[in-house]
C-alpha cells in the first residue's frame, strides 16, 4: 500500500508553546488529507479534513484557531497545535487519500505522540 | 454513513482462522464496507473493502452477506502480529472520503 509518514513521531513540550506536526504522502499525490486525535483506550476521532490549496473543514467542537492546518501541496499537510496545554496531550494521526481514479482508500501515518507538560 | 456493530473483543489461536463479524443493518446501496486495523500505538492499516461481492487480498478475505446487512473479515492463518483492534467502517462511494471509527474489535491471537 501507499506510504504516509509523520514527523516527529514523539514530541514533549511545555505548556503554552506551539507544536507543528508534518504529514507526507511519500509515493502518491494526496488530494485529501485528514487529521485524527486518539486519547488512551479510545477510538480515533476525526478533527479536520483538508484539500490541497483550500481551507480545512473542521469537525464540530474542534477549534480551528487552536489546531491550524495547512495543506500547501499534494504531498504535505501540517497540523500546528497552538498554545498547547496538558489536555492537548494525545496521539495525533494523519491520513491521506489519492481520491478519484487513484482510489478511495485512506492510508494512515504512524502517528505523533504529543505530551504537553 | 451507516452505523456498524462489532463485538468488543475476540480471541484466536495462532495458526487458526480468525473470523471477525460486523453488523451494518442500515447500510445503503452506495455504501462500501471497509476494514482497518490498528496495532497498539501505531496508525491504522487498511485491510480490505467491498461493496457487494466477496473480496480477497494478500491480507484477508471479506465476506458480505447477500442482503449486505453484515460482513465477516477472515484472517486465514492468524499470527501473533495480527493482534490488534479491527475496525469495520461503512462509507459512501462518493467524494466524501471521511471515515468514522467506532470502538472496533480487539483481536488477541494467543500462542
Amino acid at each position: 500500500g501507499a506510504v504516509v509518514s509523520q514527523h516527529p513521531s514523539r514530541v514533549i513540550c511545555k505548556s503554552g508553546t506551539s507544536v507543528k506536526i508534518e504529514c507526507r504522502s511519500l509515493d502518491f499525490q494526496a488530494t485529501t488529507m485528514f487529521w485524527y486525535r486518539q486519547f488512551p483506550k479510545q477510538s480515533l476521532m476525526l478533527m479536520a479534513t483538508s484539500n490541497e490549496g483550500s481551507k480545512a473543514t473542521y469537525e464540530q467542537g474542534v477549534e480551528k484557531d487552536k489546531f491550524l492546518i495547512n495543506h500547501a501541496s499534494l504531498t504535505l499537510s501540517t497540523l500546528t497545535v497552538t498554545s498547547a496545554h496538558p489536555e492537548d496531550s494525545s496521539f495525533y494521526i494523519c491520513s491521506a487519500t489519492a481520491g478519484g481514479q487513484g482510489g478511495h482508500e485512506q492510508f494512515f501515518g504512524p502517528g505523533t505522540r504529543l505530551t504537553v507538560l | 454513513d451507516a452505523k456498524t456493530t462489532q463485538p468488543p473483543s475476540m480471541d484466536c489461536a495462532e495458526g487458526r482462522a480468525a473470523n471477525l463479524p460486523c453488523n451494518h443493518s442500515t447500510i445503503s446501496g452506495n455504501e462500501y464496507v471497509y476494514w482497518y486495523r490498528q496495532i497498539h500505538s501505531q496508525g491504522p492499516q487498511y485491510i480490505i473493502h467491498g461493496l457487494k461481492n466477496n473480496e480477497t487480498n494478500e491480507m484477508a478475505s471479506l465476506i458480505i452477506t447477500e442482503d449486505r446487512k453484515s460482513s465477516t473479515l477472515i484472517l486465514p492463518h492468524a499470527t501473533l502480529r495480527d493482534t490488534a483492534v479491527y475496525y469495520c467502517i461503512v462509507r459512501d462511494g462518493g467524494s466524501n472520503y471521511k471515515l468514522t471509527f467506532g470502538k472496533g474489535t480487539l483481536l488477541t491471537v494467543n500462542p
Side-chain angles (χ1 to χ4, degrees):
Chain A
V3 180
V4 174
S5 70
Q6 277 184 247
H7 178 80
S9 58
R10 186 179 296 268
V11 57
I12 301 172
C13 70
K14 292 182 179 179
S15 186
T17 60
S18 293
V19 174
K20 180 185 282 188
I21 302 169
E22 291 187 350
C23 176
R24 294 181 185 274
S25 57
L26 298 185
D27 51 3
F28 69 101
Q29 293 188 323
T31 57
T32 307
M33 287 185 166
F34 302 85
W35 287 96
Y36 295 82
R37 180 167 52 181
Q38 186 175 33
F39 292 108
K41 298 191 184 298
Q42 294 188 24
S43 189
L44 283 78
M45 293 203 58
L46 180 66
M47 298 175 67
T49 303
S50 75
N51 294 294
E52 184 262 342
S54 61
K55 288 184 178 180
T57 302
Y58 290 81
E59 296 298 300
Q60 193 171 10
V62 178
E63 299 174 59
K64 63 179 181 181
D65 294 329
K66 181 169 183 62
F67 299 100
L68 302 178
I69 292 172
N70 184 281
H71 191 166
S73 77
L74 285 171
T75 59
L76 173 64
S77 176
T78 60
L79 167 69
T80 301
V81 183
T82 62
S83 187
H85 289 95
E87 57 266 29
D88 299 322
S89 298
S90 189
F91 192 47
Y92 291 87
I93 308 168
C94 72
S95 71
T97 183
Q101 297 298 317
H104 297 171
E105 299 91 334
Q106 278 189 37
F107 298 98
F108 287 80
T112 297
R113 178 128 352 246
L114 170 64
T115 303
V116 185
L117 302 176
Chain B
D1 294 331
K3 182 178 167 59
T4 62
T5 303
Q6 297 178 253
S9 64
M10 292 183 65
D11 283 279
C12 175
E14 188 178 18
R16 306 297 291 269
N19 298 286
L20 292 93
C22 179
N23 182 287
H24 32 79
S25 58
T26 60
I27 194 170
S28 60
N30 66 340
E31 289 183 316
Y32 287 74
V33 180
Y34 281 77
W35 283 84
Y36 284 80
R37 73 180 182 183
Q38 186 178 25
I39 295 170
H40 183 61
S41 293
Q42 296 183 23
Q45 177 187 23
Y46 165 79
I47 301 174
I48 200 166
H49 75 281
L51 182 62
K52 294 181 186 178
N53 300 322
N54 298 335
E55 302 287 344
T56 295
N57 62 22
E58 64 278 4
M59 288 184 68
S61 295
L62 174 60
I63 308 298
I64 303 174
T65 58
E66 195 167 335
D67 63 8
R68 302 212 317 126
K69 293 185 177 183
S70 64
S71 60
T72 301
L73 178 74
I74 301 173
L75 307 179
H77 305 286
T79 70
L80 298 180
R81 286 180 294 183
D82 291 322
T83 293
V85 178
Y86 287 77
Y87 297 99
C88 168
I89 302 169
V90 169
R91 188 186 70 77
D92 70 58
S95 59
N96 175 6
Y97 303 115
K98 283 169 57 170
L99 295 174
T100 302
F101 284 80
K103 296 184 178 180
T105 296
L106 172 60
L107 174 68
T108 302
V109 181
N110 300 303

